[in-house]
Amino acid sequence: MVCIAQTTEKAATHVCCIGAGYVGGPTSAVMALKCSDIEFTVVDTDAKRIAAWNSSSLPVYEPGLDEIVRSVRGANLRFTTDIDAAIRAADIVMIAVNTPLAPSGAAADAGDGGGCAPCGRPTDLSAVEQCVMRIAHAARGPTVVVEKSTVPCKTGDVVASILQRHGHAGAEFAVLANPEFLSEGTAVRDLLDPDRVIIGGQRGTERAQAALAAVYAHWVAPDRIVTMGLWSAELAKLASNAMLAQRISSINAISAVCEATGADVADVARGCAADSRIGDKYLRASVGFGGSCFQKDIASLVWLCHSLGLPEVAEYWHQVLRVNEYQKSRFAQRIVHVAGGSLAGRRVACLGFAYKAETGDARNTPAAAVCRTLLAHGAQLAIYDPKVPAQSIIEHLGDPCLATEQHAKGNISSSSSSSRVRVCKSAYQAMDGACVVAILAPWDEFRHIDWRRAASLLLDAPQPFVFDGQLVVDDVGELEGLGLQVHVVGRRHVTSE
């Protein structure tokens, strides 16, 4: 018989993490750095990804991550495809695999919100379920199974049921939720100095919760390690992301009001942030939010609310997604409108393609939506991003006819002279010969562009335009003095007399 919710009281000596992606790799590396007395093994079925973690070119870019991995890899951190052996050796097994939205056909997808119907979309838990089956078959001793992946509320019940049905006779399992709260670009900092570590478990898992808390206690203060019920921990992750996205959509909605009235969204945000009850986090107007989490997690929350018979709550959260789609569309249409309604044959320099600064991740990036709209209006795009690979840019634009210039790493070459997209090696190369500049990601280097040099590269007929979708242009007057017409998100453009 399989026993659920009991584990040994001994301290963990070996932790296995299934999933060598954006969560599993950095999390395990920082844990290994801080817990020299514990062995950490990261496993994955993707041999190429594991090979990359064992190389000098990691598959995940995060500031500070390279140094940490180099310092612990080969000591108490290993990356391998030998999944079953790692599970058998582990006291704690963390599941950190992708949990995407289920295909749209799985919901009554009627359509808006960037692929999220008003009824939302369920989460595809197939990867999690496969991991749990693998754990059930491989584990022999007492094992704490930890949900690191973002999952819907009550997933822990599904995990426990699989373990109970398929685990070896006499096996002991405890199921915990320990959601990650990493922000791409600051993941290492978030891991080293977390606001909180949430550990959730059902009644009877207190020893397992204590064992996992003891791992974090190597570097996290006790008052930041918060224990709660399993379902509460699962829902806390979805709720946190929903509230952060809500703030972004809120200030972006206000940016539309500012453009209509002549107010300045930066000033409005500053006035709001001065209230200690509000603060300034996630209160900066932009083209919109992207990434792998916010849209997915809100869609999952909307689906959950509908499944629980809470349509009014579902509609509330769905509006956060609708405002985000509106913001991306509004920014792109503003470019088209100011340019006279057509961009046919005109070059647009798109600066930034990642969904945020300090990451090479372009999943659900607002830049892709803007670029597709500009292409639909005939534009020729010159795209530059410091970290997103050229191939990723092309894939996210989804046009098989697109070609690129030689990227910085030289791994992609131009294949068609008629291509309307070129991936460039610098912001200045992208701006050379352009009549429109669109700033789509808040990379710090865009704050320090030499606009006098840029103005000399831009076409001056009839007048070059700069559209700042990330509030990175500090001195609009300087640019206008160089003959550039500047349009900033959340600010009405006033023509100089």
Side-chain angles (χ1 to χ4, degrees), residues 251 254 258 263-273 283:
I251 196 62
I254 294 299
C258 289
D264 186 329
V265 73
D267 289 341
V268 174
R270 189 156 48 92
C272 293
L283 210 62

Side-chain angles (χ1 to χ4, degrees), residues 328-394:
K328 291 183 284 189
S329 173
R330 197 173 66 82
F331 184 80
Q333 293 298 334
R334 186 180 184 186
I335 295 175
V336 174
H337 173 73
V338 171
S342 174
L343 291 166
R346 301 167 77 177
R347 180 167 177 164
V348 178
C350 298
L351 304 187
F353 199 82
Y355 84 91
K356 61 184 287 187
E358 300 300 332
T359 180
D361 192 354
R363 287 177 290 180
N364 296 315
T365 177
V370 173
C371 287
R372 284 193 287 266
T373 298
L374 300 180
L375 286 169
H377 285 82
Q380 296 179 355
L381 303 185
I383 303 173
Y384 165 69
D385 188 277
K387 289 295 179 182
V388 180
Q391 185 63 47
S392 179
I393 292 174
I394 299 306

Side-chain angles (χ1 to χ4, degrees), residues 2-63:
V2 175
C3 181
I4 300 294
Q6 292 185 29
T7 59
T8 179
E9 295 181 355
K10 73 183 183 73
T13 60
H14 195 131
V15 175
C16 169
C17 179
I18 305 178
Y22 279 93
V23 174
T27 298
S28 299
V30 170
M31 282 184 158
L33 178 72
K34 293 297 185 179
C35 307
S36 59
D37 57 329
I38 301 175
E39 296 290 325
F40 292 86
T41 304
V42 182
V43 297
D44 204 294
T45 57
D46 188 337
K48 289 184 178 179
R49 179 171 286 270
I50 290 297
W53 279 108
N54 285 317
S55 74
S56 60
S57 181
L58 303 185
V60 171
Y61 169 74
E62 280 291 336

Side-chain angles (χ1 to χ4, degrees), residues 18-19 43 51 97 101 142 147 180 223 229 250 252 283 293 299 301 339 378 415 427 434 442 451 481 487:
I18 305 178
V43 297
V97 294
L101 293 177
E147 300 169 349
E180 54 85 14
D223 61 347
S250 293
N252 283 341
L283 210 62
C293 296
L301 182 59
S415 62
W451 286 105
H487 297 261

